[in-house]
């Protein structure tokens, strides 16, 4: 497959690129800064420099032409304020979805966040609350699109612990941690499982091998 990843220099995206390249897929990562290109090349991905905060739908659609799937893994990242949560975590997701539809790329995966489906609890840090609201709005936008075969993945609290290959994947899992390695591994399996189209799934660490967890969810 050819897979295009928005936010190609993100921590999960780089892991996903390595996994996809290792198994022989052609993968391109959209990045904002040219100096990030070396990390993508090292991961086996083609770097594509394109700023999703200023690009047009047509610009992005050109990068998606001929792709079999698109993955939205972009985020404003730590240290960014509330405004960029909206322009990146929501706005860039809508732009990327528009571009996928324009390019005829139906399979569309989104890395979201647990808690994005409800109003943040009182006392939540304002920037994190803005992030959750932006992710929730982005998810709602993607779910409204009949032109995309979408799957939304909402991991729990991300860690840099080595992946175990064992997860809990369900419509609702409850709170928990999950290594970024295991999020990337789950995304690979979701790309291959069209029966997860139209599902919003939560992911935390668990005791079920990733392949089995995705197959079980797909069968129900």
């Amino acid at each position: 497959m050819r897979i295009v990843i928005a936010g190609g220099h993100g921590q999960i995206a780089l892991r996903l690129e390595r996994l996809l390249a290792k198994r022989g897929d052609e993968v391109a990562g959209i990045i904002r800064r040219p100096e990030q290109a070396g990390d993508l090349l090292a991961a086996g991905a083609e770097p594509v420099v394109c700023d999703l905060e200023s690009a047009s739908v047509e610009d992005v659609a050109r990068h998606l032409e001929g792709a079999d799937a698109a993955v939205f893994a972009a985020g404003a990242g730590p240290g960014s304020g509330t405004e960029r949560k909206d322009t990146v975590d929501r706005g860039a997701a809508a732009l990327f979805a528009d571009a996928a539809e324009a390019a005829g790329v139906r399979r569309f995966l989104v890395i979201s966040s647990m808690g994005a489906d409800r109003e943040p609890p009182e006392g939540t840090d304002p920037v994190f609350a803005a992030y959750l609201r932006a992710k929730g709005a982005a998810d709602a936008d993607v779910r409204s699109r009949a032109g995309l075969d979408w799957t939304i993945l909402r991991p729990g609290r991300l860690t840099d612990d080595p992946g175990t290959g064992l997860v809990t994947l369900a419509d609702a899992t409850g709170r928990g941690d999950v290594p970024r390695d295991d999020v990337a591994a789950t995304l690979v399996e979701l790309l291959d499982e069209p029966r997860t189209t139209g599902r919003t799934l939560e992911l935390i660490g668990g005791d079920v091998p990733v392949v089995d967890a995705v197959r079980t969810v797909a069968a129900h």
Side-chain angles (χ1 to χ4, degrees):
M1 292 199 291
R2 175 171 171 79
I3 298 139
V4 179
I5 302 172
H9 194 258
Q11 294 185 70
I12 293 171
L14 286 167
R15 288 167 166 82
L16 178 58
E17 287 154 5
R18 283 193 286 270
L19 292 174
L20 292 172
K22 188 175 178 182
R23 73 174 197 170
D25 287 326
E26 185 183 329
V27 56
I30 295 177
I31 53 176
R32 192 160 54 93
R33 300 203 300 272
E35 61 268 26
Q36 297 171 334
D39 290 336
L40 271 74
L41 290 168
E46 170 199 345
V48 175
V49 179
C50 177
D51 186 349
L52 295 176
E53 287 180 272
S54 59
S56 68
V57 172
E58 293 74 25
D59 290 337
V60 182
R62 277 195 291 274
H63 299 309
L64 282 159
E65 282 172 11
D68 298 292
V71 180
F72 186 78
S80 57
T82 56
E83 188 176 316
R84 289 200 68 231
K85 301 303 183 194
D86 185 66
T87 57
V88 179
D89 292 285
R90 183 202 57 76
L95 173 75
F96 196 56
D98 285 341
E101 289 186 314
V105 180
R106 290 199 61 95
R107 191 71 177 114
F108 194 87
L109 267 57
V110 176
I111 303 173
S112 183
S113 174
M114 197 173 286
D117 55 349
R118 53 191 173 272
E119 181 61 16
E122 194 173 336
T124 302
D125 171 76
V127 175
F128 187 63
Y131 165 76
L132 290 174
R133 291 188 189 106
K135 295 301 280 185
D139 292 353
D141 175 82
V142 168
R143 285 197 293 243
S144 73
R145 296 173 184 260
L148 297 176
D149 296 332
W150 55 265
T151 303
I152 294 169
L153 184 65
R154 289 176 168 167
R157 194 181 75 85
L158 299 169
T159 75
D160 288 326
D161 297 336
T164 65
L166 301 172
V167 298
T168 299
L169 179 70
D171 295 324
T173 61
R175 296 275 172 181
D177 294 353
V178 62
R180 288 179 172 87
D181 287 348
D182 290 333
V183 178
T186 302
L187 289 164
V188 171
E189 297 303 325
L190 289 172
L191 281 167
D192 289 345
E193 184 44 90
R195 292 179 298 166
T196 58
T197 293
R199 300 287 295 276
T200 301
L201 301 167
E202 293 185 349
L203 178 74
I204 57 174
D207 54 12
V208 180
V210 168
V211 174
D212 296 336
V214 172
R215 283 183 186 153
T216 299
V217 160
H220 293 87

